[in-house]
Amino acid sequence: MFRNPEFIRNTWTELTAKKLAAMPLMLITVYLMAYILGETWPFSFLPEIAVGFYVVLTYIWGTRLAAETVVKEINANTWSFQVMTSMSPFKMAIGKIFGSTIYIWYGNFICLALYVLAFHLHADRLPQTTPGALFTNVLLFVLFALAAQILPLLLSLHSIRWRHFFEKFDVTFFQFTGFAMVFPLYKVMGSDGGILWYGTYFPIKEAAAIFLCIFIVWGFIAVINQIKTEFGQEPYPVSWFLFTLSLVAVLFGFNDDAADNPLTAYKGTLLSFFAVLCITYLTLCGESNMALRPHMVLKYYRTRQFKRLFMIMPRSLITIPVIIALAFVLSTQFGRLNAVQGNGMSFMVWAMIMFMLRDFCFIYLWSLFAQGNEKETTVVPVLISLATYTIVPVLFRHFDLNIFCPFFMPYFYANSYLSFNESAFLTVIPPALEFLFMLALLSLGIRKKFRELEA
């Protein structure tokens, strides 16, 4: 880190002599004032004032600095010079994450030192705290601060792809996403409960530390991949696939086989299924309207550059095998239930899979013949697809045409002629037919596009 040019540049810029003197002078002065008032105020105010300054520095000031570290350079037209440097994306990520917020960390470590010092010097006047619990608290403060600064930086880097739409960037929204991390911090620090994860009971603070470490690692990898994109390097799709698998692995641990309620027993699998489904649609919204890139596909296929062909694969396409695998797992788990309940829930899962595949075919067909700049997103066809699950079924319900609802959402159309399982089975047929129809259109569209490119 200390041989990182970006980190050194930010350090020399942020850690001036006046700033180095001002931070401890302010914090220690306020701390001493609180100590002097200890006769009239409870001594518990001493660690609280240290935590209060930590929250202000991290979630108000630090998130702002992290969000604007790249955006500020884009607005000043200096980012292009950094893109042309020989620095690796890894070093640039380190420099941006820690260099831009180095002064905040300087203040945070003073706050955490005062926090520990309060419990050490005034142990007889403060609530009893073991060294292990104190270390856990400090670790959580550091981890939450890292997560709160990585998140706005990551979102601001992602927004750079649309910078041709804006003359200047406003990072307030990105800063707010980092500030929102203060709420789970408050919840975790104020709770003595725990969670059951992979059959083991974890205190809430230990569980939070585990999940935060996973989040920080993947957040840092995501920052590196975004910087790679800015440097003109294609990030490896395997990182997105591994992130999806790690998300599934984390959520899968919330299954509770001892529970009688299937929604509780298979809660982890259900959470994994819907989480991967949501991030897939969100990824679709963020991809360019040329996500399939037929001209590049044809070029790399003809020249047998299969590695490059794999590199340009749409990220949303990578998660489809994961969702389908989760659907098989859910079907197996629901098969352990009684025939009526298990079959109905399994058919509902596969109906959602068919609708998802239909949407993918429609969105990719749209992007195949999209006009305009490649950086325009596929958000319009995604919104059109999602609207079919709400507006159209509501209209059919309003006009008592429920028989058509299964064509637009997973819907049980039951009447006196159909059993429960028959109604559940019929939820799969309409979206399956729509998927096959859209798949045929997409195949024809790809063939037409390839013929145009060959001509």
Side-chain angles (χ1 to χ4, degrees):
M1 181 184 295
F2 298 104
R3 294 183 180 180
N4 187 323
E6 181 65 19
F7 178 79
I8 294 172
R9 182 182 70 85
N10 281 312
T11 300
W12 279 104
T13 303
E14 297 293 330
L15 297 184
T16 62
K18 291 181 179 179
K19 285 185 175 181
L20 287 173
M23 182 68 77
L25 183 63
M26 178 190 68
L27 294 176
I28 295 173
T29 300
V30 175
Y31 183 85
L32 288 175
M33 289 176 62
Y35 175 77
I36 293 171
L37 294 173
E39 296 182 357
T40 56
W41 288 25
F43 266 81
S44 61
F45 186 71
L46 294 177
E48 288 177 0
I49 197 170
V51 172
F53 273 111
Y54 154 82
V55 169
V56 171
L57 291 174
T58 299
Y59 296 97
I60 297 179
W61 194 353
T63 55
R64 183 76 182 186
L65 292 176
E68 67 181 11
T69 179
V70 175
V71 171
K72 183 169 60 176
E73 293 178 2
I74 290 174
N75 290 338
N77 297 318
T78 59
W79 175 242
S80 57
F81 296 104
Q82 295 200 40
V83 169
M84 292 185 290
T85 63
S86 59
M87 194 183 309
S88 68
F90 176 80
K91 286 187 175 181
M92 182 65 75
I94 290 288
K96 293 301 180 186
I97 293 173
F98 296 102
S100 63
T101 58
I102 185 67
Y103 188 61
I104 302 303
W105 282 107
Y106 173 61
N108 278 345
F109 284 129
I110 295 175
C111 292
L112 295 177
L114 293 175
Y115 175 78
V116 174
L117 189 66
F119 283 99
H120 179 70
L121 296 180
H122 310 292
D124 56 330
R125 305 181 187 182
L126 292 172
Q128 292 295 321
T129 303
T130 63
L134 198 60
F135 172 78
T136 302
N137 290 347
V138 172
L139 177 64
L140 284 174
F141 285 136
V142 173
L143 292 177
F144 268 107
L146 275 172
Q149 292 172 2
I150 287 176
L151 186 58
L153 173 59
L154 176 60
L155 292 175
S156 65
L157 280 168
H158 188 70
S159 70
I160 292 172
R161 295 185 181 184
W162 297 283
R163 63 175 174 266
H164 63 286
F165 289 129
F166 308 98
E167 293 183 1
K168 294 290 183 180
F169 275 100
D170 184 9
V171 299
T172 304
F173 171 74
F174 310 132
Q175 179 189 7
F176 179 78
T177 59
F179 175 78
M181 292 293 291
V182 74
F183 299 107
L185 171 66
Y186 174 79
K187 183 68 175 178
V188 168
M189 299 303 292
S191 175
D192 295 325
I195 62 172
L196 190 67
W197 193 53
Y198 281 107
T200 304
Y201 182 82
F202 289 89
I204 191 67
K205 291 183 179 180
E206 292 182 10
I210 294 171
F211 298 148
L212 280 170
C213 287
I214 297 172
F215 177 85
I216 289 168
V217 168
W218 281 111
F220 183 69
I221 293 173
V223 170
I224 294 174
N225 284 338
Q226 292 291 343
I227 293 176
K228 273 186 177 182
T229 303
E230 282 296 301
F231 282 13
Q233 306 172 18
E234 197 78 34
Y236 289 101
V238 69
S239 62
W240 176 248
F241 180 72
L242 292 176
F243 164 74
T244 306
L245 292 182
S246 69
L247 177 64
V248 171
V250 169
L251 296 177
F252 222 77
F254 291 101
N255 283 335
D256 185 8
D257 294 331
D260 296 328
N261 188 338
L263 295 180
T264 303
Y266 310 128
K267 176 173 62 176
T269 314
L270 287 167
L271 286 173
S272 302
F273 180 80
F274 287 109
V276 176
L277 196 63
C278 288
I279 65 172
T280 302
Y281 275 98
L282 289 173
T283 307
L284 269 173
C285 289
E287 287 181 326
S288 71
N289 62 7
M290 304 294 182
L292 292 180
R293 304 175 184 177
H295 58 292
M296 298 179 70
V297 170
L298 187 61
K299 172 187 173 182
Y300 294 143
Y301 178 77
R302 281 180 169 178
T303 56
R304 297 187 176 276
Q305 298 183 50
F306 298 115
K307 182 179 179 181
R308 295 299 305 165
L309 197 60
F310 176 71
M311 293 286 285
I312 65 171
M313 180 188 300
R315 300 302 182 264
S316 54
L317 198 62
I318 297 172
T319 54
I320 290 181
V322 180
I323 302 174
I324 293 176
L326 287 171
F328 276 110
V329 173
L330 279 172
S331 298
T332 303
Q333 291 175 334
F334 291 149
R336 302 170 188 169
L337 308 174
N338 63 73
V340 173
Q341 198 176 26
N343 290 340
M345 297 178 79
S346 296
F347 285 135
M348 183 66 74
V349 169
W350 285 106
M352 287 188 278
I353 291 291
M354 292 296 108
F355 275 116
M356 179 201 71
L357 295 175
R358 179 208 67 176
D359 292 343
F360 270 57
C361 290
F362 167 70
I363 293 165
Y364 287 141
L365 183 63
W366 178 294
S367 69
L368 198 64
F369 296 97
Q371 302 294 325
N373 194 297
E374 183 177 345
K375 291 186 177 180
E376 293 176 2
T377 62
T378 57
V379 67
V380 173
V382 170
L383 291 177
I384 292 173
S385 298
L386 295 179
T388 61
Y389 298 109
T390 53
I391 299 174
V392 179
V394 167
L395 292 175
F396 281 133
R397 289 273 296 176
H398 178 72
F399 293 106
D400 199 22
L401 297 172
N402 297 347
I403 192 173
F404 296 108
C405 287
F407 285 91
F408 298 95
M409 64 179 297
Y411 182 81
F412 279 76
Y413 178 68
N415 55 34
S416 57
Y417 303 103
L418 299 174
S419 67
F420 179 86
N421 277 339
E422 290 171 339
S423 300
F425 176 71
L426 288 178
T427 61
V428 181
I429 301 301
L433 294 175
E434 292 177 336
F435 161 59
L436 293 175
F437 176 72
M438 292 304 304
L439 182 62
L441 288 180
L442 179 61
S443 301
L444 292 174
I446 291 174
R447 291 180 61 184
K448 180 182 178 182
K449 196 71 175 180
F450 281 171
R451 284 197 299 268
E452 290 177 357
L453 291 171
E454 287 175 348

